[in-house]
Amino acid sequence: MSKLSLRGVDVYAGLLDPAAQTAILADLRSVVKQAPFFRLKTRFGQSLSVQMTAAGQYGWFSDAKGYRYVDRHPDGQEWPAIPDSVMQVWEQVSGCARRPECCLVNLYRDTARMGLHQDRDEADFDCPVVSISLGDDALFRIGNVEKGGKNESLWLRSGDVAVLGGDARLVYHGIDKLRLGSSTLLQGGGRINLTLRVVT
Ligand code: SIN
Ligand code: MN
């Protein structure tokens, strides 16, 4: 494991060894069985290329009315609990006394990407967003708290954990592309990113 910081974002490279990654993935299989992946549209009607689901009290949702947290899966069921294996990662790196209320699960396949955005739909910015990467490498771009300006990228690999907290809690960030086939962790390839958030 090595820790680095880029534009205020702490990255614990290789925090999760292959056994820990496999254990989280096994727990995610039961999350996805209860709460299958779905594809959201922006308020402008464009489909997101990333498929999503969630665990915890809240999941994230987007439609013509905009972005928000919701307490049910689109099928009407409550979200499954956040697995202990994932909670442990929060405990290890968040430095936050509160527990996450949402574990957003993003599935990137093929050419899926995520445009530059801020995570700002949460009520308490004192708590960080903790991001866990599983599967193929992804080019993570980090900008500034304000829109625009200089930005820098780094490759996130399977088992890396990034923490957006403190002055970097509201930085713009996104995923430009994947290095498809760089990992064999996921059946069918691609990448899963988990973000743990305190919502209320
Ligand atoms: C996100 O910003 O919600 C996801 C970032 C990532 O996939 O690493
Ligand atoms: Mn984000």
Side-chain angles (χ1 to χ4, degrees):
M1 204 274 290
S2 62
K3 187 181 167 189
L4 61 110
S5 183
L6 186 64
R7 306 183 79 75
V9 176
D10 288 333
V11 179
Y12 298 81
L15 183 72
L16 303 170
D17 65 18
Q21 295 170 41
T22 306
I24 290 178
L25 204 57
D27 289 340
L28 287 176
R29 266 188 212 109
S30 32
V31 166
V32 170
K33 211 174 265 175
Q34 282 183 70
F37 283 108
F38 50 89
R39 210 180 273 271
L40 290 173
K41 286 190 171 156
T42 66
R43 80 178 83 194
F44 311 109
Q46 281 167 320
S47 289
L48 298 184
S49 56
V50 168
Q51 298 173 64
M52 289 185 180
T53 189
Q57 289 102 298
Y58 297 100
W60 192 80
F61 197 74
S62 166
D63 63 11
K65 285 189 261 174
Y67 304 139
R68 61 197 178 276
Y69 282 99
V70 292
D71 61 6
R72 307 241 156 198
H73 186 275
D75 72 6
Q77 305 254 31
E78 286 181 10
W79 303 103
I82 300 176
D84 287 344
S85 56
V86 177
M87 278 292 189
Q88 275 170 26
V89 179
W90 174 269
E91 247 104 89
Q92 211 176 333
V93 300
S94 72
C96 178
R98 297 188 63 187
R99 305 197 92 204
E101 299 163 310
C102 171
C103 173
L104 189 63
V105 186
N106 289 321
L107 174 64
Y108 296 77
R109 296 245 203 238
D110 306 317
T111 56
R113 55 186 294 282
M114 189 172 290
L116 273 182
H117 66 280
Q118 290 172 297
D119 291 357
R120 57 173 313 140
D121 299 321
E122 303 76 28
D124 184 354
F125 295 141
D126 288 341
C127 299
V129 171
V130 170
S131 157
I132 302 172
S133 291
L134 297 168
D136 285 339
D137 302 348
L139 190 59
F140 184 52
R141 183 181 294 274
I142 309 170
N144 305 284
V145 173
E146 308 292 337
K147 210 171 190 148
K150 186 174 177 244
N151 50 73
E152 292 172 270
S153 300
L154 87 163
W155 285 95
L156 291 175
R157 298 190 169 79
S158 197
D160 290 357
V161 176
V163 181
L164 284 74
D167 291 342
R169 173 62 181 75
L170 290 172
V171 288
Y172 277 85
H173 59 278
I175 295 291
D176 288 347
K177 59 179 173 186
L178 300 192
R179 202 139 57 188
L180 285 174
S182 48
S183 160
T184 54
L185 186 72
L186 299 196
Q187 254 172 24
R191 170 175 186 259
I192 287 179
N193 170 260
L194 306 177
T195 43
L196 293 162
R197 302 129 186 264
V198 172
V199 172
T200 60

